[in-house]
Amino acid sequence: MHRVGSAGNTAGSSRPRKEKRFTYVLNDADNKKHCAGINCLSYLNASASGTSDYLFTGSRDGTLKRWEYQNGDANFSATFESHVDWVNDAIIVGQNLVSCSSDTTLKVWNCLADGACTKTLRQHSDYVICLAAAEKNSNIVASGGLGGEVFIWDLDAAIAPIAKSVDAKEDEVPNGNSGPALSTLCNVNSSGNIVSTNGKSHGYSPIAAKGHKDSVYALDMNDTGTLLVSGGTEKVVRVWDPRTGSKNMKLRGHTDNIRALLIDSTGRYCLSGSSDSMIRLWDLGQQRCVHSYAVHTDSVWALASTPSFGHVYSGGRDQSVYLTDLSTRESVLLCTNEHPILQLSLQDDTIWVATTDSSVYGWPAEGQTPQKVFQKGGSFLAGNLSFSRARASLEGSAPVPVYKEPSFTIPGVPAIVQHEIMNNRRHVLTKDTVGSVKLWEITRGAVIEDFGKVSFDDKKKELFEMVSIPAWFTMDARLGCLSVHLDTPQCFSAEIYAVDLNVTGAQEDLKINLAHETLRGLLVHWSKRRPKLGQHSLSNGDSSIGKDVSLKNLPHPRSDVDDGSENHANNVLPSFEFSTVLPPSIITESSSGGPWRKRITDLDGTEDDLPWWCVDCAENGRFPKENTKCGFYLHPAEGSPAPNITQGKLSAPRILRVLKVANYVVEKLVLEKPLDGSPDSTFAMGLTSGTSALDSSSRPGLKPWQKLKPSVEILCNNQVLSPEMSLATVRTYIWKKPEDLILNYRVVQSR
């Protein structure tokens, strides 16, 4: 599993505060489809919803989706977007959908609303992996995760409003990602005074079931909420009283991690699935294992039982779903999938299967009359030893699946599994799970070419360009799509000439800062909808929360910022326009350190928690100046009769082309224009048109020999340089030395 680094700094740390990171997530797929593996399933019957049957899916792409199930079809209904990492589990609790994620949070949603998050619960210190709820008690939810923590939440109390101090600011992100700031929560004590409540509990403290020493992977609760079972890497099943968090018992028997748990409605029996490939049935009253079922040939990751708890459906790493009669031990291979199975959900006569693929599959299950499946033949007796089942499979006696094809498929799109940033730092080559190779332009979030199923390495070599642009962003594909990370001030290090972007009417020497224009393109909807300054507060890491903050007073001296207001038009350049049909989502942190996520077209201008440096860049064109200069020496080539026209080291923009250097030499040779003689003089031709330098024959008062135009070549390491090369490219690919760059010139002809 992956780890998510915090973009902030921990409280009390002596290290300098790191500015909040800004991330944008790109996707060329329909928003109605997942683009990564499905980790969880949850079903809401029409009797509970009052309208239709709904299936909820949570994905590794960080989103949940709602599907309306009618007349044998599952149609997209809504996207729930706020988590910034994998969604690991989701359950229906009354009219609420509760989800948990690797971003360490739980989120509460109105499951029949438009996808807005109503509450974010932060208590876990690590990934939250699993959830459990009491069917007959719509308030109680349990959560467990990799931190070895198990918490029991009362949703009514957790969601209830909390009193705030006068200068407190509630962590209320406009996409519904709510939760008061850690340092500003208050409770009202018995004397009626407001008292501060510091800590992760956000003014409400869930019950902690303390006892796990390691990661928790599985939870379940009986219908009335009187028993909670948990399991994980300690290989034991723990039984708790969720009303108090007290330990009832500990059940031993598995030899590997426990990955799935089911408890019957009465709380008498419990089923467990383990990475030891075994399923065990426990009698909680007798505190012992009463049956073991050797059904799978690899880890068991998912369990679902019939309403009577007489039969169990199981799936796991071996990509197979089995149906087992818990009494007779008879088992049958229901179906096989192309990917490992992560979760199962039984609804009537359909078993919904979530796998590491981005699609969801519904298979026939005969959930009301499972004995009908056994009548189709192919059953076997589940043994007690896992190795006997594995040996039978190796010996060719593996069972044949009852069903060959699923009844329903909710298609997803292939996840990106490989990516390579091109040298121009604007294009990224990707490969997905079906082998399709695409080229993206990340400055506008679009696929510019789909190469189909070709060799990724061959295409990477074919697209190689000998250009050198600073690395202004980092990237990953852990959500199944491209996530581009911007950190200040590093992201402002890359410049490009506007003419290279084919900007109509651009001056020859106009430079474009890639991060600046990208941020403008991403935040254009936010900027248009933003209230006037003075009517709206901006959260800055050091500013007083809840007070109006003038951008002019933000802590960056004028000498340290580049005012780009003169370098671009008011409109977003075409090369930085992001799609409104397939808009990217942005991810950043709230003022309390909690992350949030939202599509750029859904930004309404009231989002206070955008990093101040992004706002100042997008709205005012101000950003930290990075060193974009390249120092070099310019001398005549060995054996050349040309005079030495420079003294000391010169300095020019890294993106300056060799052609400009040649023009500079030409003007010096023709006009004998002296330098100021300083050792670090500025390269004056860096922002001057080369045409004017060459057009010297029309100047009055020139001597005849001054009207000749020499043709000059620029060399490095005795290699003639292409006029289109930049100084940065020459230094990276031709010079290749840590010392200052040395360029040479020679006259090849005069005319």
Side-chain angles (χ1 to χ4, degrees):
M1 302 184 79
H2 53 274
R3 295 278 171 179
V4 182
S6 171
N9 196 19
T10 55
S13 173
S14 59
R15 295 179 299 168
R17 177 174 59 84
K18 186 177 181 181
E19 298 295 352
K20 290 188 287 189
R21 165 177 283 186
F22 185 90
T23 295
Y24 61 100
V25 182
L26 304 178
N27 200 340
D28 67 331
D30 191 337
N31 183 52
K32 298 178 181 179
K33 297 178 181 179
H34 285 298
C35 65
I38 311 299
N39 278 345
C40 55
L41 303 161
S42 193
Y43 205 90
L44 182 65
N45 292 315
S47 58
S49 69
T51 53
S52 305
D53 289 348
Y54 291 103
L55 177 68
F56 296 85
T57 55
S59 171
R60 295 178 176 181
D61 64 16
T63 70
L64 299 103
K65 296 188 185 296
R66 183 179 68 214
W67 312 88
E68 186 174 8
Y69 186 62
Q70 285 183 328
N71 303 321
D73 288 324
N75 299 310
F76 171 81
S77 177
T79 292
F80 299 79
E81 184 172 9
S82 183
H83 283 298
V84 302
D85 209 332
W86 291 8
V87 177
N88 294 320
D89 204 0
I91 54 174
I92 301 294
V93 185
Q95 292 294 309
N96 291 312
L97 174 69
V98 182
S99 59
C100 67
S101 167
S102 295
D103 63 17
T104 75
T105 70
L106 282 73
K107 290 185 182 287
V108 184
W109 320 75
N110 183 329
C111 60
L112 299 180
D114 59 358
C117 175
T118 59
K119 189 70 173 180
T120 298
L121 305 176
R122 300 185 181 95
Q123 189 76 21
H124 285 268
S125 62
D126 209 331
Y127 298 175
V128 193
I129 301 298
C130 50
L131 299 171
E135 185 173 327
K136 294 181 180 179
N137 188 337
S138 60
N139 292 335
I140 304 302
V141 174
S143 59
L146 299 190
E149 301 152 327
V150 175
F151 296 112
I152 300 101
W153 305 81
D154 183 324
L155 285 189
D156 283 349
I159 296 176
I162 301 170
K164 296 183 292 182
S165 59
V166 176
D167 61 346
K169 178 179 183 296
E170 193 167 11
D171 176 17
E172 195 64 63
V173 178
N175 65 343
N177 179 6
S178 60
L182 299 185
S183 60
T184 62
L185 288 170
C186 301
N187 285 333
V188 180
N189 63 17
S190 58
S191 302
N193 297 319
I194 296 179
V195 293
S196 177
T197 305
N198 295 321
K200 298 180 181 179
S201 60
H202 293 206
Y204 161 78
S205 296
I207 297 172
K210 298 180 180 179
H212 278 283
K213 299 179 179 63
D214 214 333
S215 300
V216 177
Y217 280 103
L219 292 172
D220 201 26
M221 198 181 299
N222 67 335
D223 285 357
T224 58
T226 58
L227 281 179
L228 173 69
V229 290
S230 63
T233 55
E234 295 173 66
K235 309 172 189 176
V236 298
V237 177
R238 295 180 184 270
V239 184
W240 314 83
D241 183 341
R243 297 164 295 187
T244 62
S246 59
K247 292 179 280 188
N248 287 356
M249 66 188 78
K250 186 160 54 176
L251 306 172
R252 302 182 183 275
H254 284 294
T255 59
D256 208 335
N257 302 340
I258 295 172
R259 299 298 302 268
L261 288 169
L262 280 181
I263 191 170
D264 77 330
S265 58
T266 65
R268 178 179 177 183
Y269 293 106
C270 174
L271 279 166
S272 57
S274 169
S275 295
D276 62 14
S277 77
M278 296 294 294
I279 300 171
R280 291 183 179 271
L281 177 65
W282 307 85
D283 186 317
L284 299 184
Q286 299 180 23
Q287 300 189 26
R288 69 184 185 92
C289 176
V290 293
H291 283 301
S292 296
Y293 307 91
V295 175
H296 290 269
T297 58
D298 209 330
S299 300
V300 180
W301 290 349
L303 297 172
S305 71
T306 56
S308 65
F309 212 74
H311 295 76
V312 63
Y313 299 84
S314 57
R317 192 173 180 178
D318 60 7
Q319 306 176 6
S320 301
V321 177
Y322 288 90
L323 171 62
T324 304
D325 187 320
L326 297 178
S327 299
T328 65
R329 306 172 63 85
E330 188 179 11
S331 187
V332 63
L333 176 59
L334 192 72
C335 61
T336 57
N337 294 262
E338 296 181 358
H339 306 275
I341 295 161
L342 301 174
Q343 201 169 98
L344 300 170
S345 179
L346 176 65
Q347 296 300 325
D348 298 327
D349 291 332
T350 300
I351 184 79
W352 292 99
V353 179
T355 73
T356 55
D357 183 35
S358 57
S359 300
V360 183
Y361 305 93
W363 293 84
E366 301 290 352
Q368 302 299 321
T369 54
Q371 60 273 15
K372 290 184 179 180
V373 178
F374 293 99
Q375 293 172 5
K376 298 179 184 294
S379 64
F380 61 94
L381 190 65
N384 290 317
L385 301 174
S386 59
F387 70 82
S388 61
R389 175 70 184 87
R391 184 175 59 193
S393 177
L394 291 173
E395 291 174 353
S397 58
V400 177
V402 174
Y403 300 108
K404 306 295 184 183
E405 299 292 336
S407 305
F408 311 102
T409 300
I410 303 175
V413 294
I416 293 174
V417 293
Q418 190 174 3
H419 67 276
E420 184 78 20
I421 301 172
M422 300 288 97
N423 285 351
N424 62 16
R425 303 295 175 180
R426 290 186 295 120
H427 295 161
V428 174
L429 192 68
T430 64
K431 180 180 179 181
D432 60 30
T433 51
V434 297
S436 181
V437 176
K438 299 178 182 179
L439 186 66
W440 293 72
E441 185 170 334
I442 64 159
T443 53
R444 58 188 181 96
V447 173
I448 57 177
E449 194 160 1
D450 187 341
F451 302 107
K453 297 181 180 180
V454 299
S455 168
F456 182 84
D457 291 334
D458 290 347
K459 183 58 63 175
K460 182 174 68 173
K461 293 177 182 177
E462 178 185 329
L463 295 174
F464 174 80
E465 295 179 82
M466 189 182 289
V467 296
S468 179
I469 305 290
W472 59 281
F473 64 89
T474 56
M475 173 175 285
D476 66 60
R478 59 185 170 82
L479 299 179
C481 45
L482 295 179
S483 295
V484 184
H485 310 294
L486 303 182
D487 292 287
T488 187
Q490 304 94 307
C491 66
F492 297 110
S493 62
E495 293 180 329
I496 189 171
Y497 285 118
V499 292
D500 291 336
L501 294 172
N502 299 316
V503 178
T504 304
Q507 297 179 2
E508 181 183 3
D509 295 310
L510 177 63
K511 292 180 290 182
I512 298 295
N513 187 284
L514 294 179
H516 175 207
E517 295 298 335
T518 299
L519 284 169
R520 292 183 67 235
L522 288 166
L523 298 180
V524 63
H525 304 282
W526 179 85
S527 295
K528 289 178 179 178
R529 299 164 184 168
R530 179 166 169 77
K532 292 182 180 179
L533 195 63
Q535 299 176 352
H536 187 70
S537 61
L538 171 70
S539 287
N540 176 25
D542 293 331
S543 64
S544 299
I545 296 176
K547 299 178 181 178
D548 288 343
V549 180
S550 172
L551 288 172
K552 296 180 180 179
N553 296 327
L554 289 177
H556 30 248
R558 185 63 186 84
S559 60
D560 293 335
V561 298
D562 189 5
D563 188 347
S565 58
E566 299 178 357
N567 293 336
H568 61 77
N570 292 327
N571 296 325
V572 173
L573 298 175
S575 298
F576 300 89
E577 289 180 345
F578 289 84
S579 170
T580 56
V581 178
L582 297 172
S585 299
I586 63 170
I587 293 176
T588 189
E589 291 188 45
S590 69
S591 55
S592 67
W596 59 273
R597 170 176 173 172
K598 196 173 185 181
R599 279 177 289 181
I600 61 170
T601 49
D602 292 336
L603 297 171
D604 58 16
T606 64
E607 291 81 2
D608 288 348
D609 287 319
L610 292 173
W612 67 265
W613 58 271
C614 295
V615 174
D616 204 19
C617 173
E619 288 207 323
N620 300 323
R622 300 192 303 184
F623 49 89
K625 273 189 174 181
E626 286 292 284
N627 181 17
T628 60
K629 299 291 185 179
C630 176
F632 65 99
Y633 293 92
L634 186 61
H635 301 308
E638 185 177 354
S640 171
N644 192 346
I645 60 174
T646 66
Q647 298 179 15
K649 186 166 66 172
L650 305 178
S651 177
R654 289 183 302 208
I655 61 174
L656 193 79
R657 292 192 180 93
V658 168
L659 174 63
K660 288 284 190 178
V661 181
N663 290 345
Y664 175 78
V665 173
V666 167
E667 180 155 329
K668 286 296 181 182
L669 291 175
V670 171
L671 301 178
E672 291 186 341
K673 181 180 179 182
L675 292 176
D676 59 12
S678 60
D680 291 306
S681 58
T682 300
F683 189 26
M685 293 301 295
L687 295 174
T688 305
S689 170
T691 303
S692 63
L694 290 174
D695 191 16
S696 58
S697 60
S698 61
R699 299 184 186 183
L702 294 181
K703 298 178 181 179
W705 62 267
Q706 289 178 316
K707 297 181 181 181
L708 298 176
K709 296 181 181 179
S711 178
V712 170
E713 287 181 341
I714 304 298
L715 301 86
C716 181
N717 279 344
N718 296 319
Q719 178 178 333
V720 177
L721 303 177
S722 166
E724 298 304 313
M725 278 189 178
S726 69
L727 293 180
T729 301
V730 173
R731 183 174 185 85
T732 301
Y733 295 102
I734 308 299
W735 182 244
K736 298 180 181 179
K737 300 176 184 178
E739 298 86 7
D740 287 323
L741 174 65
I742 298 177
L743 299 180
N744 303 109
Y745 56 89
R746 67 185 179 195
V747 178
V748 293
Q749 67 179 39
S750 296
R751 61 184 185 277

